[in-house]
Amino acid sequence: MFSVWDWAVVVLYFAAMAGIGVYFSRRNRDFKDFMFGGGNMPWLAVGISLIATSVSANTFLGNPAEAYANDMRLLMLNFGSLASIAIVGFVFIPRFRSSGVKSAYELLEQRFSRPVRRTAATLYSCHLLLRMGMLIYAPSLVLMKITGAPFWVAAISMAVFAMLYTSLGGIKAATTTDIIQFCIFFGGGLLCIYFCAKGVGSFSKTWEMAQAAGKTRWLDFTFDPASERNFFSAAIVYIAFETAIRGCDQQFVQRYLSTKNVRAANYSSLTSSLLGVCVGLLFFTVGICLYVYFQVAHVEVLPVTKVNEVLPYFIIHVLPPGVKGLLVAAIMAADMGALSSVLTALSNTTVVDLRASSPNDAEINLSNARRWVWLWGLLGLLASFVCALGNISILSKALFFTSLFTGPLLALFLLAFFRPHLHPTAVLCAVFGGIIVLLLFLKIPVLPEGMWTPLYQVSWPWNPLISMSATVILAHVLHPFFRMRAVSV
């Protein structure tokens, strides 16, 4: 099990991350420093931070679980991701940079109204709250394995540490630790592949067995809206999903605004996408190596039955002392980077968008932002218990939660960019209408089978496209009614 050397590695890692947070807490002069790093962050550092924001323990545990249970077809998501980079680079980033906003949702107030801005910020906060729940839930599974502690103890430990160093350091600490954490995270994946291949005999032998078992399949051109594992859903429809994340998520916008100019922001966005391809390939490979190790070569007996527990079992029971501590640190690294980004974005959104604080109150805003880090962290801890429900892979569950609120957000920004003359009330009503339309197509994975039956079942990549399309259409349909009412008054 876990040795003294393993614990030493984990403790040293957490001490180093806390030290970085304390260091940068002394260098944050005001709210702008805390949230945007002064606006001159290097594009390469921001690009690595962007991918570290996207990946987490959900990636470290979820991608291998997906490949272990199925195959590598979800790698097709990278096609949609690369396409979205061009859309965000040409449409979103220049408008954010030229508008002078401090928050993505401030632009919606400029185009429509403050209620529209607050509605968008609320939807975004709901989206991030569920994401934070998953970010706390996934590594807690590992902590439970190595300590024997119940889930609630592991979850509280993860949440408290993330809140501590995020509230101290802000965006500079988040970006610096993101770079360190990404390197540990990536190295951890390579170590998993190495020890799997070593147990089987060699990597080439492992790969041949995986091919024979059908695990290396990654292209599927069948058309099936109910499945996410085909080119149309994962590559074409997913473009809307990824554009919503990269173009409307305050975590991303915050980093675009922390660079020097539009070109630097686009370089950082492209860097994160290319690194994302490497991460996806690496951790899906981990999954098929684990499948060969346990199910084909039968190097070890696997006593667990849940796919999300395969990699934690391998780490704790198969890897040698010291290495397992490094791998646990890698999982924590992946999650801490994402958690700190979520908490920073939520505190910024709360202070700037929901509370509409004056930008001139820099010191007060900085103090409030730090307090909101703790309040949102506690709410995220509660959300982790909701995320623990259901028995599908962590990756599928995380992507489902992400898809719920991103479609209406994307619609709001597209309307703000191209149809700013629409009546704000029509836009608000359209947002809620888009969510209602989406409910007709949802299959909710955390609910017991049969509790909710969709009108027509589609896979999660379709969710943002459906709610975005419904919102845009309803906004145009409702606009004449509210315009006529305004004229008559």
Side-chain angles (χ1 to χ4, degrees):
M1 296 297 288
F2 231 56
S3 68
V4 174
W5 292 108
D6 296 316
W7 280 114
V9 171
V10 174
V11 170
L12 284 174
Y13 164 74
F14 276 94
M17 296 302 102
I20 290 171
V22 172
Y23 172 76
F24 280 108
S25 70
R26 299 174 180 176
R27 298 169 65 89
N28 286 324
R29 294 166 295 183
D30 53 28
F31 184 71
K32 184 178 180 181
D33 256 4
F34 184 77
M35 287 298 173
F36 305 106
N40 59 359
M41 301 288 290
W43 64 263
L44 181 59
V46 173
I48 297 174
S49 179
L50 281 171
I51 184 58
T53 296
S54 304
V55 301
S56 62
N58 296 334
T59 306
F60 202 117
L61 301 177
N63 283 21
E66 169 65 27
Y68 184 94
N70 298 288
D71 47 38
M72 302 178 74
R73 279 178 291 171
L74 282 189
L75 278 174
M76 292 184 291
L77 297 175
N78 289 303
F79 289 113
S81 177
L82 289 171
S84 73
I85 292 296
I87 297 172
V88 172
F90 283 107
V91 177
F92 287 79
I93 291 177
R95 286 173 169 82
F96 284 131
R97 297 284 314 196
S98 63
S99 63
V101 298
K102 298 294 185 294
S103 159
Y105 313 112
E106 184 181 347
L107 188 141
L108 298 177
E109 182 177 352
Q110 293 179 356
R111 298 293 193 274
F112 296 119
S113 66
R114 178 161 289 186
V116 172
R117 174 183 180 178
R118 284 179 167 161
T119 299
T122 301
L123 290 174
Y124 174 67
S125 298
C126 292
H127 150 64
L128 274 196
L129 188 60
L130 290 172
R131 173 166 165 75
M132 194 182 349
M134 286 298 301
L135 291 174
I136 295 171
Y137 161 68
S140 296
L141 295 178
V142 179
L143 283 180
M144 289 169 63
K145 290 287 184 184
I146 65 177
T147 64
F151 173 75
W152 66 271
V153 173
I156 290 174
S157 301
M158 286 297 304
V160 168
F161 186 81
M163 290 185 285
L164 176 63
Y165 86 82
T166 303
S167 65
L168 288 173
I171 188 65
K172 287 181 181 178
T175 303
T176 303
T177 54
D178 280 349
I179 296 170
I180 298 170
Q181 289 159 348
F182 179 78
C183 294
I184 299 174
F185 168 83
F186 202 85
L190 292 173
L191 281 173
C192 286
I193 294 174
Y194 170 78
F195 281 101
C196 277
K198 182 180 179 182
V200 174
S202 67
F203 179 75
S204 59
K205 183 178 180 180
T206 303
W207 189 259
E208 289 173 4
M209 290 182 174
Q211 285 181 316
K215 287 293 177 179
T216 59
R217 179 188 182 194
W218 69 281
L219 279 176
D220 183 350
F221 292 103
T222 60
F223 178 77
D224 181 9
S227 171
E228 64 271 27
R229 298 179 185 91
N230 58 76
F231 189 84
F232 196 80
S233 294
I236 307 301
V237 174
Y238 184 71
I239 294 174
F241 185 110
E242 188 72 10
T243 302
I245 295 298
R246 291 184 170 273
C248 311
D249 191 318
Q250 176 60 19
Q251 295 177 93
F252 282 79
V253 175
Q254 185 179 2
R255 281 161 173 76
Y256 300 150
L257 297 177
S258 71
T259 58
K260 296 178 181 179
N261 49 44
V262 171
R263 177 178 293 181
N266 275 314
Y267 283 163
S268 66
S269 180
L270 180 60
T271 299
S272 71
S273 182
L274 295 176
L275 288 175
V277 174
C278 298
V279 168
L281 181 60
L282 174 66
F283 283 92
F284 274 94
T285 302
V286 170
I288 64 173
C289 287
L290 287 171
Y291 184 85
V292 171
Y293 185 92
F294 287 115
Q295 303 295 342
V296 180
H298 300 289
V299 180
E300 300 277 349
V301 176
L302 182 65
V304 300
T305 57
K306 295 183 178 180
V307 293
N308 294 324
E309 296 179 358
V310 174
L311 182 54
Y313 179 87
F314 178 81
I315 292 172
I316 303 304
H317 296 278
V318 177
L319 296 183
V323 175
K324 67 180 66 175
L326 185 62
L327 266 291
V328 169
I331 293 174
M332 302 306 169
D335 225 62
M336 285 296 117
L339 268 173
S340 65
S341 298
V342 168
L343 287 167
T344 304
L346 276 171
S347 65
N348 178 56
T349 300
T350 305
V351 172
V352 175
D353 297 302
L354 295 176
R355 293 175 57 88
S357 301
S358 171
N360 298 322
D361 299 330
E363 291 186 7
I364 296 175
N365 288 345
L366 175 58
S367 177
N368 288 337
R370 284 174 167 158
R371 280 198 293 268
W372 277 105
V373 164
W374 286 90
L375 290 171
W376 278 114
L378 293 174
L379 290 174
L381 178 60
L382 295 176
S384 68
F385 290 91
V386 176
C387 295
L389 302 173
N391 189 29
I392 62 172
S393 75
I394 290 175
L395 178 65
S396 296
K397 193 182 295 186
L399 289 171
F400 170 80
F401 284 138
T402 301
S403 72
L404 293 179
F405 300 104
T406 47
L409 281 174
L410 178 57
L412 283 174
F413 281 101
L414 292 177
L415 292 172
F417 294 154
F418 302 111
R419 306 291 287 174
H421 68 280
L422 293 178
H423 197 283
T425 307
V427 172
L428 277 177
C429 292
V431 167
F432 295 107
I435 294 173
I436 292 171
V437 170
L438 177 60
L439 289 174
L440 301 176
F441 298 89
L442 280 183
K443 181 180 180 181
I444 305 174
V446 296
L447 293 181
E449 194 72 28
M451 180 174 286
W452 176 263
T453 303
L455 181 67
Y456 181 80
Q457 183 177 331
V458 296
S459 55
W460 54 261
W462 289 78
N463 293 343
L465 182 63
I466 291 170
S467 53
M468 177 202 72
S469 302
T471 301
V472 170
I473 293 170
L474 285 171
H476 285 83
V477 170
L478 295 173
H479 169 70
F481 298 99
F482 288 102
R483 184 183 60 180
M484 288 188 294
R485 182 178 179 183
V487 170
S488 64
V489 171

